[in-house]
Amino acid sequence: MAPPKVFLTGATGYIGGDVFYAVHQAHPDWKYSLLVRSKDKAAQVTSKYPNVRIVLGDLDSSDIIEEEVKNADIVLHCADCDHVASAEAIAKGAAHHTSEKPVWVIHTSGTGILTVEDFRTNTWGFYRSKEHNDWEGVDELLNLPDDSFHRNVDKIIIEASQRNPESVKTAIVCPPTIYGPGRGPGNQKSVQAYWLAAAVLKRKKGFLVGEGKNIWHQVHVQDLSDVYGALADAAAAGGGKATWNDKGYYLAENGQFVWGDIQREVARVAYEKKLIPSPDVESLSDAQVSELNEFGLYAWGSSSRGHALRARKLFGWSPSKPSLKELIPEIVDIEAKNLGLL
């Protein structure tokens, strides 16, 4: 059997870089085409992966993306999960496939899609009881309300599989708060907890978003990449143990946390490292949070509760990396260095 042709977006990004590292480690013989937006970034990639084919273009290069998807066996879309044009181009490229030669599209979403209640009420930092899961709750995830964050792009991918279920096989991977060092050739760090550490260090004092009672789930980026790896393996095997299309939605989390606990821990660790004068936290108003970071209310104040059962049940995914809380000292150090404080 010829090795599968794999088209990947986001190779110099945080998720895409780590996913590509993991998949390439497992299958150096597969044929890879990577969408990269500049010659400089291409050089970054080829210095580590000399045998990949670079496709110069960005997420708005619709014709290029369509053509690559048309010729690929497996598509790993790990770039911006809110980019409409690239998802439309992937759907168009997928439509060229036949039931004899289907395409397997593994698309990246994010559990911001579960924060709809916070956005509708514009209230942040609250405990919310609603929980989702991707096993008996999979239909709900595939049919979330249209005003959910990321939902417009999810729908483009879902509808591509509904139009041609025999020739277009889709799986959506939906990670929560990601953290930990990436292994890709470009960006190797995440945002939510890192922005938080930077904000605390800059204002020299810890804080809570409102009551700080909102809950999210967490996943280490290297554990997350194992989900993509298992799906890519299943795709290469003609579907494998994975489920696709109307059962193709994978939350990818390793436990939940309360944002207020992380906010307190960042302050405690920053104080212990003598980077701020006190370990205390104060509750901030919405306006104050937005002043610290334009995405702060969403990043640290929303509630997103979704349990990942599908990957565990179907292919024995067992995340093993340290928790977000355990890596707070490392995250504070990274941000302190960036701010010139260490």
Side-chain angles (χ1 to χ4, degrees):
M1 245 173 73
K5 290 186 288 208
V6 179
F7 174 56
L8 180 134
T9 67
T12 59
Y14 178 57
I15 296 175
D18 201 77
V19 167
F20 183 60
Y21 172 89
V23 174
H24 187 277
Q25 283 282 102
H27 303 287
D29 57 315
W30 287 4
K31 285 195 161 65
Y32 297 99
S33 309
L34 309 184
L35 184 72
V36 182
R37 65 172 165 263
S38 69
K39 292 205 163 123
D40 293 350
K41 286 189 180 280
Q44 254 183 334
V45 175
T46 50
S47 68
K48 290 210 170 129
Y49 304 103
N51 297 331
V52 303
R53 184 169 69 88
I54 296 293
V55 180
L56 274 178
D58 61 20
L59 292 176
D60 289 310
S61 307
S62 297
D63 295 348
I64 292 172
I65 293 170
E66 179 182 346
E67 185 65 18
E68 289 300 324
V69 173
K70 176 182 164 184
N71 295 317
D73 300 307
I74 300 169
V75 176
L76 288 158
H77 186 32
C78 302
D80 181 356
C81 67
D82 292 313
H83 197 275
V84 171
S86 56
E88 287 175 342
I90 287 170
K92 258 186 157 165
H96 293 282
H97 284 261
T98 61
S99 53
E100 293 76 48
K101 193 180 173 296
V103 65
W104 306 86
V105 177
I106 300 162
H107 170 75
T108 307
S109 184
T111 67
I113 203 165
L114 307 180
T115 60
V116 67
E117 208 178 325
D118 303 287
F119 279 101
R120 281 178 180 174
T121 57
N122 193 28
T123 52
W124 311 92
F126 288 100
Y127 171 83
R128 306 219 187 265
S129 57
K130 174 71 179 166
E131 298 184 58
H132 296 264
N133 77 71
D134 60 6
W135 193 251
E136 57 271 10
V138 70
D139 296 340
E140 189 178 6
L141 294 174
L142 284 158
N143 293 284
L144 286 164
D146 282 354
D147 57 330
S148 307
F149 198 29
H150 314 316
R151 170 68 182 165
N152 58 330
V153 177
D154 269 19
K155 270 176 83 171
I156 294 165
I157 300 298
I158 292 164
E159 285 164 6
S161 72
Q162 288 170 340
R163 280 193 296 275
N164 301 296
E166 296 307 310
S167 53
V168 181
K169 309 291 185 181
T170 58
I172 295 177
V173 180
C174 191
T177 296
I178 315 175
Y179 60 92
R183 299 166 292 184
N187 176 32
Q188 297 186 334
K189 74 167 188 165
S190 190
V191 287
Q192 278 169 289
Y194 298 73
W195 287 346
L196 174 67
V200 168
L201 294 172
K202 277 185 205 157
R203 77 187 293 266
K204 298 271 180 240
K205 185 162 190 198
F207 63 88
L208 296 177
V209 177
E211 299 175 353
K213 290 181 177 168
N214 50 306
I215 294 172
W216 267 65
H217 291 239
Q218 60 189 314
V219 71
H220 191 291
V221 69
Q222 295 175 23
D223 284 328
L224 171 62
S225 290
D226 290 343
V227 175
Y228 288 86
L231 286 168
D233 287 351
K241 290 179 178 166
T243 47
W244 304 86
N245 295 9
D246 61 344
K247 295 283 180 276
Y249 209 99
Y250 295 81
L251 295 171
E253 53 77 46
N254 188 24
Q256 60 182 22
F257 66 92
V258 178
W259 264 111
D261 294 346
I262 296 298
Q263 289 153 10
R264 289 182 191 93
E265 184 68 2
V266 167
R268 189 189 69 76
V269 167
Y271 169 71
E272 272 187 7
K273 290 178 180 287
K274 301 188 167 45
L275 293 164
I276 61 174
S278 154
D280 297 339
V281 295
E282 60 182 334
S283 180
L284 298 187
S285 70
D286 291 0
Q288 289 172 305
V289 175
S290 297
E291 231 166 82
L292 293 175
N293 185 304
E294 62 176 318
F295 306 113
L297 290 172
Y298 161 67
W300 317 314
S302 60
S303 181
S304 172
R305 307 183 67 182
H307 299 271
L309 308 180
R310 192 159 289 271
R312 287 177 167 92
K313 282 177 187 276
L314 295 180
F315 32 78
W317 179 57
S318 56
S320 60
K321 297 284 185 235
S323 70
L324 173 58
K325 194 170 181 183
E326 289 170 81
L327 288 196
I328 293 296
E330 192 178 295
I331 290 168
V332 169
D333 282 348
I334 288 169
E335 295 307 316
K337 270 197 193 96
N338 283 351
L339 292 167
L341 301 175
L342 281 185

